[in-house]
Amino acid sequence: MKKVSVCFTLNGDSVTAEVPVTWSLLKTLREYFELTGAKEGCGVGECGCCTVIVDGDAVNSCLYPIPEIEGRSVVTVEGIAGKEGTLHPLQKAFLENNAVQCGFCTSGMIMSAKALLDKNPDPAEEDIRTSLSGNFCRCTGYVQIIEAVRRVAKGNT
Amino acid sequence: MSDYLYVGKDIPRTIEADKVCGRAIYINDLKRPGMLHGKILYSRYAHARIKRIDTSKAKKLQGVRAVLTGYDLPDVRVGFIKDQTVLKKDVVRQFRDEVAAVAAISLEIAEEALHLIDVDYEELPAVFDPREAMKEGAPLVHEVDARGKPVRSNILPLPWKFQAGDPEKGRRESAYVVKDDVRTTWVNQGCMGTSGCIAEFDMNKNLTLYSQTNVPFLGKQRIQEYLSRLGLGKSNVRVLNPVVGGSFGTKLDTDIYEFIAIQLALQTGKPVKILFTREEEFFALPPRQPALFNIEQGCDREGNLTFREVKAILDNGAYTSWGATTPSVMMMPISSLYRVPNVRFDATCVYTNNIYAQAMRGYGNPQATFAVETSMDRLAEEAGIDPAELRLINCNRPGEETPMRLKITTCPLEACIKTVREKIRWGEKRGKRNGRGVGMASLIHVAGGARVYKSDGHGIIVKVDQNGRVDVLESGTDQGQGSPTVISQMVAEALGFKPDDVSITLGDTSLCLWDAGTHASRHTFMAGNAAIQACRSIKRQILEMAVEFIPQIVTYAIKKKKQKDPNFREPDLDWKLVASPEAMDIKDRYIFPQKAPDHPYFRTEVSEILTRGLHVGTGQSRVVIAEAFYDPPTEMLDREMKGNYSMTYAFGTTAVEVEVDKETGEIKIVQVFAAHDVGRAMNPTLVKGQIYGAAYTGAGYGLTEEIQVRNGRVMNANFRDYKMLTAKDVIPVEPIIIEVPDESGPFGAKGIGEPGLVPTAPAIANAVYDAVGVRISDLPITPEKILSALRKKDVC
Ligand code: FES
Ligand code: FES
């Protein structure tokens, strides 16, 4: 299979990957870099479990063609805790607020929420709901997730 | 209030920090050295004869390690009534029939190989409507039964017949009677983590199955049985649970893909992983059992229920899984939600060429409660009684035995109804018919185990190391409900340790004791009761050591002090305070005399005692370990389908306010109050999480969710067309926790995993009626159905 070599920034580090040209960003993260935080819940852009941040925007990495990552900056759920292992405020808030049940949607949820808060540190509930509307969760009914995001938002202001 | 230190507190789920860091290992993430990837080829027809299967091209593809069809496997039947084989040969009976399977070195190659398998079919007449399938002369889905005996009908040999009292007499004595047809549909459990497993044999043909099952021990049993039919009776089976991405019923049966992975692993001698795509998750997994109900009930002039009679037809699909047993749970609300003296319930399960169904959160309860609670509203209207009032008149009461012989222990149903009635401002809002309306529905559910197998037992092993770290080998599973946090709270409370001291190992059949499964909202109840037993023994062991060692420690300390300070005056100690285990207690890791908790000499940190126990150095060293097996004194249903199958039952009432747009038929949920009887909440935040999640899924059941099955084929096998609610669909749920501690529950707890879902859909249906005057008795309540009902109403 034809391969492609791409250089990009991954969680702050410069990296290179040589992978089949047909691979998605999700597959590259999971298979090549063994970062399995982003999950495949559907593989076709409908569930949000694979959400990562590319150049500041939340994207469905399952749909993201790997050649297009060249030169960009990718942040995954593995890259947001402090180096000493301190959790990101969203990670902490998710745990404290029971915004995690089975956890399968959690990486994607946190990354969607982070992309939002990075742009808008004090979003209204409506903005949070809109930003998370591409991320399905079957366990929580979203309520405690939205509360967790709001807590961090408030904490920021 | 109680003076518990950890139970009842909002301890955060930090024990699961891996989940927020992307480090929790789900089946999707798990790899084994040399692992192959398995894929399954499904039928192209709903009913057809297989004329020929040619796998030669697939076998030749580079990287393919095995291609199997039903013709390669011994004829071993699996499933609840053994009505299917792992791979199907000769005849396919539904679109999801597994016809062939491939194992290859990569997923891509396995997928390619599937395309190279040639199957010739000859289509057979099929039947898709259970009512048609019941008729004489309908195409037979199965020509023979599990024993090879010819069958004449599609009706399963599994009649559900229940009767209590005299329904005819009840009918005669009724002042008001209502009758209705109600239909509930297939619903996908919608786990965000798709299904999958890894099967791996060692050289002695012992099997390790990484499985998402929530019944590891029953799963092990089924697989062990299967292997012994293959001549591998000596193989040991170890079932291991990775982190599970939701279950909601899908992991109750051992699914066909698991047997296929086992066959491929046997064939290749390599670990084989099968992981479903989302599409497979929709069409190749058994969804919630659909049901058609005919319900009739009546009351006297005062509103006292006189009888209830329900006939149900269940579309079983082509094979039988747990869906066919949902009547055992439907029976509970039908016979026991509200006091009704005369009850009859008949359910018929019918084979069709549709996908087969199984369990989903609430089992058969959401279906039956939808029928019962929408009918209660009709009856209230017929009798001219306020629907909330009718429910209160017939409210279940503590200490009663229901017609099904369920023994009600605590029962705050009245409080639930009254609370939501007040919260939603029922009196002021009801009966306006102005496009806004309120409705309510209640529930009863098992909350203290459910004896559906001979043993409803649950085992636990607790051990404590010399540093005071507690390891709990817990025989249940966690599919996201937060059991590790709740169990660590209960263990810490029972032991007098801290929740942080406790580590939980779940879902490992080799390490843990038997358990009937993490279903029926039973985990907290069972694990808690088992933990309390085991911890009692652990505590005793530690305190016995304390009796032995505290005097040694104290005497030594005094000696040391004297050596250091010649003026030190030896205190006059009352050694009786520490002379027996009964005289002492443990709290927050400290052992202390009950009569002098802050005693300056006797108060001792546990690890000091535990280390001494291990380090006695005389050949007498000890470790601290205890196991407990809690099997509640409940009953299996008897021949009449009666019996107290749970230690206790949970009640609850949901009230909903809706706004219905008469032009578009759109429903907006304005507010939801969900009052639930939880015994005692072990962790209120987690309890609320269960209520929120269940209420949302219940709202989806009521409003949007339906697997569209046309001529046996699932037409909406993706999230675009299968409408689950998103964060945008605001359902403002306010959970209300009603606490009346139950004696049989650990620290008073009842189960709460499923109840939140059960009354949501009927409460919505009742609110819609109150808003616009049309009753939709056919789930989901879509705008189209509302519009067409409104039109019909206008015509009349
Ligand atoms: S896996 Fe990417 S959106 Fe579902
Ligand atoms: S926590 Fe399970 S899907 Fe969101």
Side-chain angles (χ1 to χ4, degrees):
Chain A
M1 199 179 293
K2 208 176 134 227
K3 288 203 170 180
V4 59
S5 171
V6 285
C7 301
F8 61 105
T9 309
L10 179 54
N11 295 331
D13 297 330
S14 301
V15 296
T16 309
E18 208 184 302
V19 297
V21 63
T22 54
W23 278 24
S24 64
L25 174 58
L26 177 64
K27 184 141 181 160
T28 309
L29 291 170
R30 293 180 56 86
E31 304 282 321
Y32 189 90
F33 292 103
E34 298 196 342
L35 291 174
T36 54
K39 299 278 182 258
E40 180 171 316
C42 71
V44 291
E46 289 166 3
C47 74
C49 293
C50 63
T51 308
V52 300
I53 296 179
V54 176
D55 289 345
D57 292 327
V59 304
N60 287 330
S61 63
C62 68
L63 291 183
Y64 205 99
I66 197 65
E68 283 178 29
I69 209 67
E70 180 66 37
R72 296 185 190 273
S73 171
V74 179
V75 182
T76 72
V77 74
E78 290 92 341
I80 62 169
K83 287 270 179 274
E84 336 65 53
T86 47
L87 297 183
H88 183 278
L90 276 167
Q91 292 173 315
K92 226 169 141 252
F94 266 56
L95 283 178
E96 279 169 4
N97 217 51
N98 196 36
V100 187
Q101 289 192 28
C102 81
F104 202 85
C105 71
T106 304
S107 308
M109 282 287 178
I110 289 181
M111 296 317 282
S112 284
K114 181 171 187 304
L116 168 69
L117 293 183
D118 288 348
K119 286 181 192 163
N120 176 4
D122 193 13
E125 173 169 337
E126 180 66 21
D127 302 325
I128 301 175
R129 287 190 177 269
T130 307
S131 296
L132 299 184
S133 64
N135 295 79
F136 277 118
C137 174
R138 191 56 153 176
C139 302
T140 63
Y142 307 102
V143 181
Q144 289 169 319
I145 292 179
I146 288 157
E147 273 170 23
V149 179
R150 275 170 83 175
R151 261 211 218 175
V152 177
K154 280 194 199 128
N156 272 356
T157 52
Chain B
M1 269 323 280
S2 69
D3 51 359
Y4 294 129
L5 285 180
Y6 303 113
V7 150
K9 302 281 166 12
D10 286 321
I11 307 275
R13 313 172 66 133
T14 33
I15 209 165
E16 295 174 88
D18 280 359
K19 285 184 177 174
V20 294
C21 298
R23 296 183 58 159
I25 305 298
Y26 298 79
I27 194 73
N28 315 61
D29 313 319
L30 200 61
K31 277 187 187 152
R32 299 288 303 157
M35 185 178 88
L36 302 174
H37 299 265
K39 285 297 286 179
I40 299 168
L41 182 72
Y42 299 96
S43 168
R44 289 210 310 276
Y45 292 92
H47 198 190
R49 204 168 292 291
I50 300 176
K51 284 167 54 190
R52 188 183 62 96
I53 303 188
D54 182 357
T55 57
S56 56
K57 275 191 237 145
K59 280 183 178 149
K60 279 192 208 119
L61 185 69
Q62 215 182 16
V64 168
R65 293 290 180 266
V67 182
L68 294 176
T69 71
Y71 300 92
D72 303 315
L73 303 185
D75 239 339
V76 179
R77 289 174 162 262
V78 295
F80 177 63
I81 57 167
K82 304 266 182 285
D83 55 5
Q84 62 175 320
T85 54
V86 170
L87 291 169
K88 280 64 181 179
K89 62 181 187 188
D90 303 339
V91 178
V92 288
R93 298 180 173 85
Q94 53 165 357
F95 275 100
R96 73 154 275 195
D97 263 3
E98 299 83 354
V99 173
V102 174
I105 56 170
S106 78
L107 197 56
E108 289 78 6
I109 296 174
E111 274 162 3
E112 201 184 329
L114 287 190
H115 293 298
L116 298 175
I117 299 174
D118 251 343
V119 191
D120 272 353
Y121 295 97
E122 178 193 322
E123 202 175 347
L124 295 170
V127 60
F128 303 109
D129 182 329
R131 288 162 299 192
E132 294 299 316
M134 284 166 82
K135 290 185 184 153
E136 219 170 297
L140 284 180
V141 178
H142 292 267
E143 269 145 19
V144 294
D145 70 6
R147 285 193 220 98
K149 277 212 322 232
V151 295
R152 291 226 186 83
S153 143
N154 287 317
I155 296 176
L156 257 75
L158 202 66
W160 295 96
K161 284 195 188 307
F162 171 89
Q163 185 171 327
D166 183 346
E168 273 66 42
K169 184 170 151 269
R171 186 182 323 232
R172 281 196 305 274
E173 288 167 2
S174 303
Y176 308 100
V177 173
V178 290
K179 194 169 180 167
D180 197 14
D181 288 311
V182 174
R183 177 183 164 270
T184 71
T185 184
W186 289 281
V187 175
N188 188 260
Q189 291 86 350
C191 303
M192 293 317 295
T194 53
S195 303
C197 69
I198 299 174
E200 178 170 356
F201 284 92
D202 70 8
M203 292 308 287
N204 295 320
K205 295 271 190 293
N206 295 315
L207 170 67
T208 302
L209 186 72
Y210 299 85
S211 162
Q212 300 164 308
T213 180
N214 59 344
V215 289
F217 292 89
L218 289 166
K220 173 186 156 115
Q221 182 59 30
R222 292 171 193 144
I223 293 160
Q224 203 103 49
E225 230 174 74
Y226 180 74
L227 290 179
S228 72
R229 299 266 180 81
L230 300 181
L232 296 171
K234 294 222 166 68
S235 296
N236 184 38
V237 177
R238 181 179 193 183
V239 176
L240 287 175
N241 245 196
V243 180
V244 177
S247 169
F248 309 120
T250 52
K251 278 91 186 174
L252 197 61
D253 210 348
T254 302
D255 219 286
I256 301 303
Y257 74 84
E258 296 183 278
F259 291 107
I260 292 177
I262 290 168
Q263 285 291 356
L264 290 170
L266 259 182
Q267 179 79 12
T268 57
K270 297 273 189 187
V272 175
K273 176 171 182 171
I274 291 182
L275 184 64
F276 270 17
T277 61
R278 179 57 59 186
E279 198 187 357
E280 283 175 299
E281 195 76 9
F282 273 109
F283 79 78
L285 263 196
R288 185 191 286 291
Q289 176 67 53
L292 299 166
F293 295 101
N294 178 274
I295 176 165
E296 202 177 349
Q297 60 181 338
C299 65
D300 64 18
R301 253 170 231 299
E302 283 72 48
N304 300 299
L305 290 172
T306 44
F307 80 103
R308 190 180 283 159
E309 189 164 351
V310 180
K311 290 192 198 81
I313 298 173
L314 272 55
D315 183 343
N316 195 59
Y319 304 104
T320 309
S321 177
W322 292 106
T325 68
T326 49
S328 65
V329 175
M330 292 176 174
M331 213 176 274
M332 175 173 44
I334 288 171
S335 70
S336 309
L337 179 57
Y338 308 119
R339 280 177 301 160
V340 48
N342 307 299
V343 186
R344 186 178 291 135
F345 172 52
D346 288 341
T348 312
C349 306
V350 191
Y351 281 124
T352 65
N353 294 105
N354 288 322
I355 48 170
Y356 66 95
Q358 69 147 329
M360 183 174 165
R361 201 172 196 174
Y363 221 72
N365 200 341
Q367 295 94 314
T369 298
F370 184 70
V372 169
E373 279 294 41
T374 49
S375 168
M376 283 295 282
D377 253 45
R378 260 182 208 273
L379 186 59
E381 188 177 31
E382 184 72 23
I385 300 174
D386 176 291
E389 208 43 55
L390 182 69
R391 289 175 169 90
L392 285 170
I393 293 170
N394 294 286
C395 197
N396 301 88
R397 308 236 181 270
E400 282 176 358
E401 190 175 282
T402 78
M404 199 180 149
R405 282 214 327 262
L406 309 182
K407 292 192 174 70
I408 308 300
T409 55
T410 53
C411 174
L413 179 58
E414 185 179 332
C416 293
I417 296 172
K418 288 186 171 164
T419 308
V420 298
R421 181 173 70 175
E422 193 188 313
K423 283 263 180 191
I424 208 150
R425 293 188 293 164
W426 182 263
E428 158 193 338
K429 288 189 173 159
R430 209 184 75 80
K432 299 272 188 299
R433 286 284 191 285
N434 59 356
R436 241 177 133 109
V438 290
M440 68 164 66
S442 301
L443 86 132
I444 176 174
H445 198 66
V446 289
R451 187 168 298 275
V452 284
Y453 314 108
K454 283 264 159 66
S455 170
D456 197 31
H458 181 100
I460 201 167
I461 297 167
V462 181
K463 56 196 185 105
V464 187
D465 75 6
Q466 70 271 32
N467 302 314
R469 294 274 337 155
V470 184
D471 261 303
V472 178
L473 308 181
E474 221 293 312
S475 53
T477 61
D478 185 50
Q479 38 265 17
Q481 69 274 28
S483 294
T485 302
V486 172
I487 293 168
S488 71
Q489 288 176 261
M490 295 191 295
V491 166
E493 192 71 56
L495 274 186
F497 283 45
K498 299 183 191 225
D500 282 356
D501 297 327
V502 185
S503 307
I504 314 276
T505 299
L506 291 153
D508 180 339
T509 55
S510 290
L511 294 184
C512 303
L513 298 172
W514 199 85
D515 167 48
T518 301
H519 54 74
S521 307
R522 74 191 272 286
H523 199 187
T524 298
F525 186 92
M526 291 290 152
N529 275 320
I532 288 172
Q533 266 181 44
C535 291
R536 201 175 295 137
S537 156
I538 296 272
K539 205 164 173 178
R540 175 100 200 164
Q541 293 173 44
I542 296 174
L543 292 178
E544 273 168 8
M545 286 201 264
V547 171
E548 190 176 337
F549 299 136
I550 286 180
Q552 290 176 16
I553 294 169
V554 173
T555 317
Y556 181 75
I558 291 172
K559 196 171 121 200
K560 276 270 160 194
K561 279 198 178 159
K562 271 205 220 147
Q563 279 170 1
K564 265 201 191 144
D565 174 6
N567 296 330
F568 178 75
R569 273 200 39 218
E570 195 170 322
D572 186 16
L573 293 174
D574 178 5
W575 294 101
K576 279 208 297 299
L577 289 174
V578 290
S580 75
E582 293 77 29
M584 289 184 282
D585 201 356
I586 312 176
K587 244 187 200 135
D588 259 344
R589 290 177 64 99
Y590 277 88
I591 302 168
F592 56 86
Q594 298 211 26
K595 288 207 179 118
D598 298 316
H599 197 284
Y601 286 90
F602 294 155
R603 191 174 165 83
T604 312
E605 216 273 342
V606 281
S607 62
E608 238 185 288
I609 299 297
L610 292 161
T611 307
R612 261 183 192 250
L614 189 69
H615 291 174
V616 277
T618 59
Q620 307 276 315
S621 61
R622 282 116 303 182
V623 292
V624 175
I625 182 164
E627 113 276 313
F629 189 71
Y630 171 72
D631 191 21
T634 47
E635 304 162 341
M636 292 277 280
L637 296 184
D638 64 14
R639 276 161 177 241
E640 294 187 339
M641 311 272 164
K642 292 173 189 160
N644 188 41
Y645 55 15
S646 184
M647 285 300 282
T648 180
Y649 301 85
F651 294 85
T653 307
T654 292
V656 177
E657 182 178 5
V658 298
E659 208 179 278
V660 183
D661 185 328
K662 282 191 171 179
E663 303 300 311
T664 61
E666 296 290 339
I667 301 172
K668 185 175 165 228
I669 308 279
V670 182
Q671 49 183 347
V672 179
F673 295 99
H676 284 281
D677 153 34
V678 303
R680 188 198 305 277
M682 296 292 96
N683 183 324
T685 300
L686 265 61
V687 166
K688 284 184 195 152
Q690 289 302 306
I691 298 173
Y692 286 131
Y696 248 77
T697 314
Y701 189 46
L703 297 174
T704 59
E705 292 188 37
E706 172 167 31
I707 302 181
Q708 287 153 13
V709 184
R710 302 269 176 280
N711 293 337
R713 191 195 286 277
V714 173
M715 304 305 285
N716 55 344
N718 59 66
F719 283 136
R720 220 171 338 111
D721 301 322
Y722 184 90
K723 297 286 182 209
M724 273 173 28
L725 299 178
T726 73
K728 264 300 226 191
D729 303 298
V730 187
I731 312 280
V733 182
E734 187 180 321
I736 301 155
I737 296 176
I738 308 271
E739 287 191 299
V740 182
D742 191 279
E743 242 178 48
S744 66
F747 307 101
K750 292 184 178 185
I752 186 62
E754 297 160 290
L757 194 151
V758 178
T760 315
I764 293 173
N766 292 339
V768 166
Y769 180 74
D770 188 45
V772 288
V774 294
R775 287 202 192 276
I776 311 295
S777 311
D778 172 13
L779 286 178
I781 308 167
T782 59
E784 297 75 46
K785 287 180 195 167
I786 290 187
L787 284 183
S788 109
L790 280 173
R791 251 176 263 131
K792 251 188 239 153
K793 196 179 133 205
D794 284 348
V795 172
C796 299

